[in-house]
Amino acid sequence: MIGSIAAIGAGLAAIGAGIGLGLIGSKAMEGIARQPEAAGQIQTPMLIMAAFVEAVALFAVVVALLGTR
Amino acid sequence: MMKRAIALLIPFFLVFHARTLVAQHHGQEQHGDPHAQEQPAAHPTDGHQTPVGGHENHSPEGGHAQTDGHAQPGGADGGHDAHGDKKEGYNPTATIMHHIADANEFHIVGDITIPLPCILYAQDQGLSFFLSSAFHHGANAVDGYALVHGDVQRVIGFPFKSGSHHLDPVPDAHGHGHGPNFVLEEADGTRYVFHEGKKYALEGSSSLLGFTSWFDFSITKNVATMMFATVLLLWLFIGIAGTYKKRAGQAPKGLQNLIELMVVFVRDEVVKPNIPQQWERFLPYILTIFFFILINNLIGLVPFFPGGANVTGNIATTFALAIIAFLVTNLNGNSAYWGHIFWVPGVPVPMKLFLMPIELIGIFTKPVSLFIRLFANITAGHIIILSLISLIFVFGNAGESVPGSLAGMALAIPFTLFMNVIELIVAFMQAFIFSLLTASYIGAAVAVHHHEEHH
Protein backbone atom coordinates (compact mmCIF):
# COMPACT_ATOMS: atom_id res chain seq x y z
CA MET A 1 0.00 0.00 0.00
CA ILE A 2 2.72 2.43 1.03
CA GLY A 3 4.70 1.33 -2.00
CA SER A 4 1.77 2.15 -4.28
CA ILE A 5 1.37 5.59 -2.75
CA ALA A 6 5.10 6.20 -3.16
CA ALA A 7 4.85 5.12 -6.79
CA ILE A 8 1.94 7.53 -7.35
CA GLY A 9 3.98 10.32 -5.76
CA ALA A 10 6.97 9.58 -7.98
CA GLY A 11 4.63 9.50 -10.98
CA LEU A 12 3.15 12.89 -10.09
CA ALA A 13 6.64 14.33 -9.80
CA ALA A 14 7.46 12.85 -13.19
CA ILE A 15 4.49 14.76 -14.68
CA GLY A 16 5.89 18.02 -13.37
CA ALA A 17 9.37 17.25 -14.56
CA GLY A 18 8.01 16.16 -17.93
CA ILE A 19 6.23 19.49 -18.39
CA GLY A 20 9.39 21.31 -17.37
CA LEU A 21 11.59 19.34 -19.73
CA GLY A 22 9.09 19.85 -22.52
CA LEU A 23 9.13 23.61 -21.99
CA ILE A 24 12.92 23.70 -21.93
CA GLY A 25 13.13 21.59 -25.08
CA SER A 26 10.50 23.55 -26.97
CA LYS A 27 12.00 26.92 -26.15
CA ALA A 28 15.49 25.71 -27.02
CA MET A 29 14.28 24.32 -30.33
CA GLU A 30 12.49 27.57 -31.02
CA GLY A 31 15.63 29.51 -30.23
CA ILE A 32 17.75 27.30 -32.46
CA ALA A 33 15.20 27.55 -35.28
CA ARG A 34 15.23 31.33 -35.04
CA GLN A 35 18.96 31.54 -34.77
CA PRO A 36 20.66 28.36 -36.03
CA GLU A 37 24.15 29.82 -35.57
CA ALA A 38 23.52 30.07 -31.81
CA ALA A 39 22.74 26.35 -31.51
CA GLY A 40 25.99 25.63 -29.67
CA GLN A 41 25.40 28.40 -27.16
CA ILE A 42 21.82 27.30 -26.55
CA GLN A 43 22.50 23.59 -26.14
CA THR A 44 24.75 23.75 -23.07
CA PRO A 45 22.42 25.87 -20.91
CA MET A 46 19.54 23.75 -22.15
CA LEU A 47 21.21 20.58 -20.90
CA ILE A 48 22.04 22.24 -17.59
CA MET A 49 18.46 23.34 -17.09
CA ALA A 50 17.26 19.89 -18.10
CA ALA A 51 19.49 18.38 -15.44
CA PHE A 52 18.02 20.75 -12.86
CA VAL A 53 14.46 19.90 -13.74
CA GLU A 54 15.22 16.22 -13.91
CA ALA A 55 16.76 16.43 -10.45
CA VAL A 56 13.38 17.46 -9.03
CA ALA A 57 11.81 14.25 -10.32
CA LEU A 58 14.73 12.31 -8.91
CA PHE A 59 14.33 13.97 -5.52
CA ALA A 60 10.78 12.63 -5.59
CA VAL A 61 12.11 9.19 -6.45
CA VAL A 62 14.46 9.35 -3.49
CA VAL A 63 11.64 10.41 -1.18
CA ALA A 64 9.48 7.60 -2.57
CA LEU A 65 12.27 5.09 -2.01
CA LEU A 66 12.83 6.28 1.54
CA GLY A 67 9.09 6.21 2.12
CA THR A 68 8.83 2.55 1.20
CA ARG A 69 11.42 1.40 3.72
CA MET B 1 48.84 21.00 -8.10
CA MET B 2 45.95 18.88 -9.22
CA LYS B 3 47.70 15.68 -8.25
CA ARG B 4 48.13 17.02 -4.77
CA ALA B 5 44.48 17.93 -4.58
CA ILE B 6 43.48 14.43 -5.64
CA ALA B 7 45.78 12.94 -3.06
CA LEU B 8 44.26 15.19 -0.42
CA LEU B 9 40.78 13.91 -1.21
CA ILE B 10 41.56 10.27 -0.42
CA PRO B 11 41.74 10.57 3.38
CA PHE B 12 38.58 12.66 3.29
CA PHE B 13 36.65 9.87 1.69
CA LEU B 14 38.02 7.33 4.06
CA VAL B 15 37.05 9.43 7.04
CA PHE B 16 33.61 10.23 5.79
CA HIS B 17 32.99 6.79 4.43
CA ALA B 18 29.85 5.33 5.84
CA ARG B 19 27.44 2.78 4.72
CA THR B 20 24.77 3.80 2.29
CA LEU B 21 21.53 5.01 3.69
CA VAL B 22 19.65 3.01 1.13
CA ALA B 23 18.61 0.03 3.14
CA GLN B 24 18.78 -3.32 1.54
CA HIS B 25 15.20 -4.16 1.14
CA HIS B 26 14.88 -7.87 1.38
CA GLY B 27 11.24 -8.24 2.04
CA GLN B 28 11.00 -11.11 -0.37
CA GLU B 29 13.40 -13.32 1.48
CA GLN B 30 11.11 -13.56 4.39
CA HIS B 31 9.71 -17.00 4.55
CA GLY B 32 7.50 -18.62 7.02
CA ASP B 33 8.35 -21.85 8.58
CA PRO B 34 5.92 -24.62 7.90
CA HIS B 35 6.90 -26.90 10.76
CA ALA B 36 8.16 -24.77 13.51
CA GLN B 37 5.67 -22.16 14.39
CA GLU B 38 6.62 -18.65 13.77
CA GLN B 39 8.91 -16.93 16.13
CA PRO B 40 7.39 -14.29 18.30
CA ALA B 41 8.01 -10.89 16.86
CA ALA B 42 9.97 -10.04 19.92
CA HIS B 43 11.53 -6.74 20.64
CA PRO B 44 15.02 -6.66 19.14
CA THR B 45 16.68 -6.15 22.48
CA ASP B 46 15.17 -9.11 24.23
CA GLY B 47 14.84 -11.36 21.22
CA HIS B 48 18.05 -13.18 21.95
CA GLN B 49 16.69 -15.21 24.77
CA THR B 50 13.93 -16.84 22.80
CA PRO B 51 14.54 -20.51 22.17
CA VAL B 52 13.88 -21.89 18.73
CA GLY B 53 11.52 -24.67 19.41
CA GLY B 54 9.54 -26.70 16.98
CA HIS B 55 6.24 -26.03 18.66
CA GLU B 56 6.36 -22.66 20.13
CA ASN B 57 3.01 -21.16 20.71
CA HIS B 58 3.56 -17.48 21.10
CA SER B 59 0.93 -15.33 19.65
CA PRO B 60 2.56 -13.21 17.01
CA GLU B 61 2.01 -9.57 16.44
CA GLY B 62 0.87 -10.44 12.99
CA GLY B 63 -2.58 -11.07 14.29
CA HIS B 64 -2.97 -14.85 14.07
CA ALA B 65 -5.09 -16.08 16.88
CA GLN B 66 -3.21 -19.30 17.28
CA THR B 67 -4.82 -21.79 19.53
CA ASP B 68 -2.89 -24.79 18.43
CA GLY B 69 0.85 -24.89 18.26
CA HIS B 70 1.32 -27.05 15.22
CA ALA B 71 0.27 -27.75 11.68
CA GLN B 72 -0.40 -24.17 10.85
CA PRO B 73 1.42 -23.24 7.69
CA GLY B 74 1.15 -19.49 8.06
CA GLY B 75 4.12 -17.36 7.20
CA ALA B 76 5.59 -14.89 9.60
CA ASP B 77 3.85 -12.03 7.94
CA GLY B 78 0.67 -13.96 7.49
CA GLY B 79 0.36 -13.00 3.89
CA HIS B 80 1.97 -15.69 1.87
CA ASP B 81 2.01 -19.37 1.68
CA ALA B 82 5.30 -20.87 2.63
CA HIS B 83 4.85 -24.43 1.52
CA GLY B 84 7.00 -23.98 -1.53
CA ASP B 85 4.53 -25.57 -3.92
CA LYS B 86 3.15 -22.14 -4.67
CA LYS B 87 5.89 -20.48 -6.68
CA GLU B 88 6.55 -16.93 -5.68
CA GLY B 89 7.06 -14.34 -8.37
CA TYR B 90 10.41 -12.75 -8.94
CA ASN B 91 10.93 -9.70 -6.77
CA PRO B 92 13.09 -7.18 -8.62
CA THR B 93 13.16 -4.71 -5.71
CA ALA B 94 15.29 -6.93 -3.48
CA THR B 95 17.78 -7.64 -6.28
CA ILE B 96 18.03 -4.02 -7.31
CA MET B 97 18.44 -2.71 -3.80
CA HIS B 98 21.10 -5.34 -3.15
CA HIS B 99 22.99 -4.25 -6.24
CA ILE B 100 22.94 -0.53 -5.55
CA ALA B 101 23.81 -0.88 -1.87
CA ASP B 102 27.34 -1.06 -0.52
CA ALA B 103 28.70 -4.42 0.59
CA ASN B 104 31.59 -5.85 2.58
CA GLU B 105 32.51 -8.26 -0.19
CA PHE B 106 32.95 -7.76 -3.90
CA HIS B 107 30.60 -10.09 -5.67
CA ILE B 108 31.85 -11.01 -9.13
CA VAL B 109 29.72 -13.78 -10.58
CA GLY B 110 27.79 -16.71 -9.14
CA ASP B 111 29.43 -17.74 -5.88
CA ILE B 112 32.72 -16.00 -6.62
CA THR B 113 33.34 -13.05 -4.37
CA ILE B 114 36.45 -11.11 -3.53
CA PRO B 115 36.78 -10.81 0.24
CA LEU B 116 37.39 -7.32 1.50
CA PRO B 117 38.93 -6.29 4.82
CA CYS B 118 36.50 -5.55 7.61
CA ILE B 119 37.64 -2.97 10.14
CA LEU B 120 35.04 -2.83 12.87
CA TYR B 121 35.09 -1.03 16.17
CA ALA B 122 32.77 -1.53 19.10
CA GLN B 123 33.34 0.29 22.35
CA ASP B 124 32.95 -2.78 24.54
CA GLN B 125 35.15 -5.11 22.53
CA GLY B 126 37.61 -2.89 20.71
CA LEU B 127 38.85 -3.15 17.18
CA SER B 128 38.22 -6.17 14.97
CA PHE B 129 40.15 -6.68 11.78
CA PHE B 130 39.59 -9.62 9.46
CA LEU B 131 38.73 -10.46 5.87
CA SER B 132 35.07 -10.84 5.02
CA SER B 133 35.84 -14.38 3.80
CA ALA B 134 35.92 -15.31 7.51
CA PHE B 135 32.14 -15.11 7.45
CA HIS B 136 31.98 -18.03 4.98
CA HIS B 137 29.19 -16.26 3.07
CA GLY B 138 27.21 -15.60 6.19
CA ALA B 139 27.53 -19.07 7.76
CA ASN B 140 29.82 -17.84 10.52
CA ALA B 141 29.69 -15.03 13.01
CA VAL B 142 33.07 -13.42 13.59
CA ASP B 143 33.75 -11.44 16.78
CA GLY B 144 30.01 -11.12 17.29
CA TYR B 145 29.37 -9.75 13.80
CA ALA B 146 27.32 -11.45 11.12
CA LEU B 147 27.18 -10.96 7.37
CA VAL B 148 23.71 -10.14 6.07
CA HIS B 149 23.61 -10.28 2.27
CA GLY B 150 27.12 -8.95 2.00
CA ASP B 151 26.61 -6.37 4.71
CA VAL B 152 28.20 -6.60 8.16
CA GLN B 153 25.84 -6.21 11.10
CA ARG B 154 26.39 -6.73 14.80
CA VAL B 155 24.59 -9.46 16.69
CA ILE B 156 22.95 -8.14 19.84
CA GLY B 157 23.93 -10.12 22.91
CA PHE B 158 26.06 -12.67 21.10
CA PRO B 159 27.86 -14.74 23.77
CA PHE B 160 31.25 -14.71 22.03
CA LYS B 161 33.07 -11.42 21.65
CA SER B 162 35.88 -12.95 19.62
CA GLY B 163 36.54 -15.80 17.29
CA SER B 164 34.56 -17.40 14.52
CA HIS B 165 31.41 -19.31 15.41
CA HIS B 166 28.99 -21.26 13.28
CA LEU B 167 25.50 -19.95 12.88
CA ASP B 168 22.56 -22.29 12.51
CA PRO B 169 20.59 -22.04 9.29
CA VAL B 170 17.18 -20.51 9.69
CA PRO B 171 14.98 -23.52 10.44
CA ASP B 172 13.44 -24.82 7.24
CA ALA B 173 13.67 -21.52 5.46
CA HIS B 174 14.22 -21.45 1.77
CA GLY B 175 17.72 -20.66 0.64
CA HIS B 176 18.24 -17.51 -1.28
CA GLY B 177 20.78 -17.63 -4.06
CA HIS B 178 23.87 -18.59 -2.13
CA GLY B 179 22.77 -21.72 -0.38
CA PRO B 180 21.00 -21.88 2.91
CA ASN B 181 19.74 -18.79 4.60
CA PHE B 182 21.23 -17.81 7.93
CA VAL B 183 19.22 -14.67 8.53
CA LEU B 184 15.55 -14.51 9.37
CA GLU B 185 13.84 -11.27 8.57
CA GLU B 186 10.65 -10.38 10.35
CA ALA B 187 7.90 -8.35 8.75
CA ASP B 188 8.97 -5.28 10.72
CA GLY B 189 12.46 -5.45 9.20
CA THR B 190 14.24 -6.81 12.26
CA ARG B 191 16.72 -9.52 11.39
CA TYR B 192 17.66 -12.52 13.47
CA VAL B 193 20.38 -15.14 13.44
CA PHE B 194 20.43 -18.44 15.26
CA HIS B 195 23.24 -19.94 17.27
CA GLU B 196 22.92 -23.24 19.12
CA GLY B 197 19.17 -23.06 19.25
CA LYS B 198 19.00 -19.49 20.44
CA LYS B 199 17.74 -16.54 18.51
CA TYR B 200 19.69 -13.30 18.39
CA ALA B 201 18.54 -9.98 16.95
CA LEU B 202 20.84 -8.01 14.68
CA GLU B 203 21.65 -4.37 15.04
CA GLY B 204 21.28 -2.24 11.93
CA SER B 205 24.13 -1.22 9.65
CA SER B 206 26.66 1.24 10.92
CA SER B 207 25.76 4.61 9.48
CA LEU B 208 27.32 8.01 9.16
CA LEU B 209 25.48 9.31 12.20
CA GLY B 210 26.64 6.32 14.21
CA PHE B 211 23.51 5.51 16.20
CA THR B 212 24.83 2.01 16.67
CA SER B 213 26.96 0.40 19.34
CA TRP B 214 29.67 -0.19 16.74
CA PHE B 215 31.36 1.54 13.82
CA ASP B 216 32.21 0.16 10.45
CA PHE B 217 35.45 1.49 8.95
CA SER B 218 35.73 -1.38 6.52
CA ILE B 219 37.18 -1.21 3.06
CA THR B 220 33.84 -1.97 1.45
CA LYS B 221 33.04 -2.45 -2.21
CA ASN B 222 32.55 1.28 -2.67
CA VAL B 223 35.74 2.22 -0.87
CA ALA B 224 37.69 -0.37 -2.85
CA THR B 225 36.27 1.01 -6.09
CA MET B 226 37.03 4.54 -4.95
CA MET B 227 40.64 3.58 -4.28
CA PHE B 228 40.80 1.90 -7.67
CA ALA B 229 39.41 5.05 -9.27
CA THR B 230 41.95 7.19 -7.41
CA VAL B 231 44.83 4.99 -8.52
CA LEU B 232 43.50 5.15 -12.08
CA LEU B 233 43.27 8.94 -11.94
CA LEU B 234 46.75 9.29 -10.46
CA TRP B 235 48.21 6.96 -13.08
CA LEU B 236 46.40 8.85 -15.85
CA PHE B 237 47.36 12.32 -14.70
CA ILE B 238 50.91 11.59 -13.61
CA GLY B 239 51.48 9.94 -16.98
CA ILE B 240 50.01 12.87 -18.85
CA ALA B 241 51.91 15.40 -16.77
CA GLY B 242 55.09 13.53 -17.77
CA THR B 243 54.05 13.66 -21.42
CA TYR B 244 53.57 17.41 -21.17
CA LYS B 245 57.08 17.80 -19.77
CA LYS B 246 58.58 15.56 -22.42
CA ARG B 247 56.71 17.10 -25.31
CA ALA B 248 56.83 20.71 -24.20
CA GLY B 249 55.77 23.04 -26.97
CA GLN B 250 54.52 20.25 -29.20
CA ALA B 251 50.97 19.34 -30.11
CA PRO B 252 49.24 16.93 -27.67
CA LYS B 253 49.20 13.29 -28.55
CA GLY B 254 46.97 10.32 -27.76
CA LEU B 255 45.25 10.35 -24.39
CA GLN B 256 46.60 13.84 -23.83
CA ASN B 257 44.06 15.13 -26.36
CA LEU B 258 41.11 13.74 -24.43
CA ILE B 259 42.24 15.00 -21.05
CA GLU B 260 43.31 18.38 -22.38
CA LEU B 261 39.89 18.76 -23.96
CA MET B 262 38.16 18.16 -20.64
CA VAL B 263 40.58 20.22 -18.57
CA VAL B 264 40.27 23.17 -20.94
CA PHE B 265 36.50 22.75 -20.97
CA VAL B 266 36.30 22.86 -17.17
CA ARG B 267 38.67 25.81 -17.06
CA ASP B 268 36.91 27.88 -19.72
CA GLU B 269 33.28 26.91 -19.23
CA VAL B 270 33.08 26.20 -15.52
CA VAL B 271 35.75 27.94 -13.49
CA LYS B 272 36.63 31.11 -15.39
CA PRO B 273 33.07 32.42 -15.90
CA ASN B 274 32.05 31.67 -12.31
CA ILE B 275 35.18 32.66 -10.42
CA PRO B 276 36.60 35.37 -12.68
CA GLN B 277 38.90 36.94 -10.12
CA GLN B 278 40.53 33.95 -8.48
CA TRP B 279 40.01 31.15 -10.97
CA GLU B 280 43.60 29.96 -10.80
CA ARG B 281 43.26 29.34 -7.10
CA PHE B 282 40.18 27.12 -7.35
CA LEU B 283 40.83 25.40 -10.67
CA PRO B 284 42.68 22.41 -9.10
CA TYR B 285 39.83 21.73 -6.68
CA ILE B 286 37.11 21.99 -9.33
CA LEU B 287 39.07 19.80 -11.72
CA THR B 288 39.60 17.25 -8.97
CA ILE B 289 35.91 16.91 -8.14
CA PHE B 290 35.05 16.91 -11.82
CA PHE B 291 37.36 14.03 -12.64
CA PHE B 292 36.65 12.18 -9.42
CA ILE B 293 32.90 12.21 -10.02
CA LEU B 294 33.32 11.49 -13.71
CA ILE B 295 35.57 8.47 -13.28
CA ASN B 296 33.39 7.01 -10.53
CA ASN B 297 30.27 7.53 -12.64
CA LEU B 298 31.94 5.78 -15.56
CA ILE B 299 33.27 2.91 -13.45
CA GLY B 300 29.76 2.47 -12.06
CA LEU B 301 28.46 1.94 -15.59
CA VAL B 302 30.84 -0.94 -16.28
CA PRO B 303 28.72 -4.00 -15.60
CA PHE B 304 31.50 -6.48 -14.77
CA PHE B 305 34.13 -6.88 -12.10
CA PRO B 306 36.23 -3.79 -11.52
CA GLY B 307 33.16 -1.67 -12.13
CA GLY B 308 29.59 -1.85 -11.05
CA ALA B 309 29.93 -0.35 -7.59
CA ASN B 310 27.52 2.47 -7.03
CA VAL B 311 30.09 4.92 -5.64
CA THR B 312 28.65 8.29 -6.66
CA GLY B 313 25.19 6.84 -6.07
CA ASN B 314 26.10 6.30 -2.43
CA ILE B 315 24.75 9.10 -0.32
CA ALA B 316 27.75 8.99 2.02
CA THR B 317 30.17 9.63 -0.84
CA THR B 318 28.18 12.52 -2.25
CA PHE B 319 27.70 13.82 1.28
CA ALA B 320 31.48 13.89 1.73
CA LEU B 321 31.85 15.74 -1.57
CA ALA B 322 29.21 18.25 -0.47
CA ILE B 323 30.94 18.78 2.90
CA ILE B 324 34.16 19.58 1.08
CA ALA B 325 32.29 21.99 -1.20
CA PHE B 326 30.63 23.55 1.86
CA LEU B 327 33.96 24.02 3.63
CA VAL B 328 35.74 25.41 0.59
CA THR B 329 32.90 27.86 -0.05
CA ASN B 330 32.47 29.11 3.48
CA LEU B 331 36.10 29.13 4.58
CA ASN B 332 36.89 31.29 1.56
CA GLY B 333 33.88 33.54 1.98
CA ASN B 334 34.84 37.19 2.18
CA SER B 335 33.18 39.98 4.11
CA ALA B 336 30.86 40.80 1.21
CA TYR B 337 29.62 37.20 1.18
CA TRP B 338 28.92 37.11 4.91
CA GLY B 339 27.47 40.61 4.72
CA HIS B 340 25.06 39.35 2.10
CA ILE B 341 23.95 36.59 4.41
CA PHE B 342 23.60 38.43 7.69
CA TRP B 343 22.77 41.95 6.54
CA VAL B 344 21.55 41.94 2.96
CA PRO B 345 22.51 45.28 1.44
CA GLY B 346 20.04 47.44 -0.41
CA VAL B 347 16.84 46.46 1.38
CA PRO B 348 15.01 48.03 4.35
CA VAL B 349 15.85 46.86 7.85
CA PRO B 350 12.73 44.66 8.46
CA MET B 351 13.51 42.92 5.20
CA LYS B 352 17.13 42.47 6.27
CA LEU B 353 15.94 40.74 9.46
CA PHE B 354 13.51 38.63 7.46
CA LEU B 355 16.11 37.58 4.91
CA MET B 356 18.79 36.70 7.44
CA PRO B 357 17.41 33.26 8.46
CA ILE B 358 16.54 32.49 4.85
CA GLU B 359 20.07 33.24 3.70
CA LEU B 360 21.46 31.33 6.65
CA ILE B 361 19.45 28.23 5.71
CA GLY B 362 20.57 28.79 2.12
CA ILE B 363 24.17 28.12 3.14
CA PHE B 364 23.19 24.58 4.02
CA THR B 365 20.55 23.86 1.40
CA LYS B 366 23.01 24.54 -1.42
CA PRO B 367 25.37 21.66 -0.60
CA VAL B 368 22.40 19.48 0.39
CA SER B 369 20.80 19.90 -3.03
CA LEU B 370 24.25 19.29 -4.52
CA PHE B 371 24.68 15.89 -2.91
CA ILE B 372 21.09 14.75 -3.29
CA ARG B 373 21.15 15.64 -6.99
CA LEU B 374 24.25 13.57 -7.67
CA PHE B 375 23.11 10.69 -5.48
CA ALA B 376 19.60 10.62 -6.98
CA ASN B 377 20.76 10.85 -10.57
CA ILE B 378 23.31 8.07 -10.35
CA THR B 379 21.17 5.82 -8.18
CA ALA B 380 18.19 6.34 -10.46
CA GLY B 381 20.34 5.41 -13.44
CA HIS B 382 21.47 2.19 -11.75
CA ILE B 383 17.90 1.37 -10.73
CA ILE B 384 16.56 1.92 -14.25
CA ILE B 385 19.20 -0.27 -15.87
CA LEU B 386 18.74 -3.00 -13.27
CA SER B 387 14.95 -2.80 -13.61
CA LEU B 388 15.22 -3.26 -17.34
CA ILE B 389 17.45 -6.28 -16.84
CA SER B 390 15.00 -7.57 -14.22
CA LEU B 391 12.35 -7.56 -16.95
CA ILE B 392 13.94 -10.74 -18.30
CA PHE B 393 13.31 -12.49 -14.98
CA VAL B 394 9.90 -10.92 -14.48
CA PHE B 395 8.72 -12.05 -17.90
CA GLY B 396 10.48 -15.37 -17.60
CA ASN B 397 8.87 -16.00 -14.21
CA ALA B 398 12.27 -16.26 -12.50
CA GLY B 399 13.61 -18.79 -14.98
CA GLU B 400 10.46 -20.91 -15.25
CA SER B 401 9.41 -19.78 -18.68
CA VAL B 402 11.88 -19.71 -21.56
CA PRO B 403 9.63 -17.91 -24.09
CA GLY B 404 8.90 -15.32 -21.45
CA SER B 405 12.62 -14.82 -20.86
CA LEU B 406 13.20 -14.43 -24.58
CA ALA B 407 10.44 -11.84 -24.81
CA GLY B 408 11.95 -10.10 -21.81
CA MET B 409 15.36 -10.14 -23.45
CA ALA B 410 13.97 -8.75 -26.69
CA LEU B 411 12.54 -5.89 -24.66
CA ALA B 412 15.34 -5.49 -22.14
CA ILE B 413 18.43 -5.55 -24.34
CA PRO B 414 17.61 -2.57 -26.60
CA PHE B 415 16.24 -0.57 -23.69
CA THR B 416 19.26 -1.35 -21.54
CA LEU B 417 21.61 -0.34 -24.33
CA PHE B 418 19.66 2.86 -24.81
CA MET B 419 19.66 3.65 -21.09
CA ASN B 420 23.37 2.90 -20.87
CA VAL B 421 24.05 5.51 -23.52
CA ILE B 422 21.80 7.97 -21.70
CA GLU B 423 23.67 7.19 -18.48
CA LEU B 424 26.95 7.87 -20.27
CA ILE B 425 25.66 11.37 -20.98
CA VAL B 426 24.39 11.65 -17.40
CA ALA B 427 27.81 10.60 -16.08
CA PHE B 428 29.44 13.57 -17.82
CA MET B 429 26.48 15.81 -17.13
CA GLN B 430 26.43 15.25 -13.39
CA ALA B 431 30.17 15.69 -13.05
CA PHE B 432 29.78 18.94 -14.98
CA ILE B 433 26.76 20.13 -12.97
CA PHE B 434 28.40 19.36 -9.65
CA SER B 435 31.57 21.22 -10.55
CA LEU B 436 29.62 24.07 -12.16
CA LEU B 437 27.45 24.62 -9.10
CA THR B 438 30.40 24.31 -6.73
CA ALA B 439 32.24 26.86 -8.84
CA SER B 440 29.29 29.22 -8.79
CA TYR B 441 28.94 28.93 -5.00
CA ILE B 442 32.65 29.57 -4.56
CA GLY B 443 32.41 32.42 -7.06
CA ALA B 444 29.63 34.02 -5.03
CA ALA B 445 31.69 33.62 -1.86
CA VAL B 446 34.91 35.15 -3.14
CA ALA B 447 33.54 37.78 -5.53
CA VAL B 448 34.83 41.28 -4.87
CA HIS B 449 32.25 43.93 -5.68
CA HIS B 450 33.71 47.16 -6.95
CA HIS B 451 30.36 48.89 -6.80
CA GLU B 452 27.21 48.43 -4.80
CA GLU B 453 24.97 46.09 -6.73
CA HIS B 454 21.26 46.45 -7.06
CA HIS B 455 19.19 43.64 -5.67
Side-chain angles (χ1 to χ4, degrees), chain B residues 154-185:
Chain B
R154 196 173 187 212
V155 186
I156 298 170
F158 201 66
F160 306 104
K161 297 280 185 210
S162 67
S164 185
H165 298 276
H166 279 287
L167 290 173
D168 305 335
V170 175
D172 283 324
H174 304 273
H176 169 67
H178 322 286
N181 197 4
F182 293 94
V183 179
L184 174 78
E185 189 170 320

Side-chain angles (χ1 to χ4, degrees), chain A residues 5-21 53-64:
Chain A
I5 294 168
I8 291 170
L12 287 174
I15 293 174
I19 293 170
L21 285 172
V53 173
E54 199 184 46
V56 176
L58 293 170
F59 291 167
V61 170
V62 171
V63 172

Side-chain angles (χ1 to χ4, degrees), chain B residues 338-381:
Chain B
W338 292 109
H340 249 274
I341 287 162
F342 289 109
W343 209 243
V344 180
V347 293
V349 172
M351 204 61 194
K352 284 181 203 282
L353 291 170
F354 180 68
L355 284 175
M356 193 172 77
I358 295 174
E359 292 281 344
L360 211 56
I361 293 167
I363 300 177
F364 298 99
T365 52
K366 281 171 186 169
V368 166
S369 72
L370 214 56
F371 82 74
I372 293 183
R373 179 180 296 109
L374 181 61
F375 158 74
N377 269 284
I378 304 304
T379 303

Side-chain angles (χ1 to χ4, degrees), chain B residues 47-71:
Chain B
H48 57 274
Q49 286 305 328
T50 311
V52 183
H55 296 281
E56 289 298 313
N57 193 15
H58 296 268
S59 184
E61 291 178 0
H64 294 275
Q66 288 182 332
T67 50
D68 194 354
H70 54 81

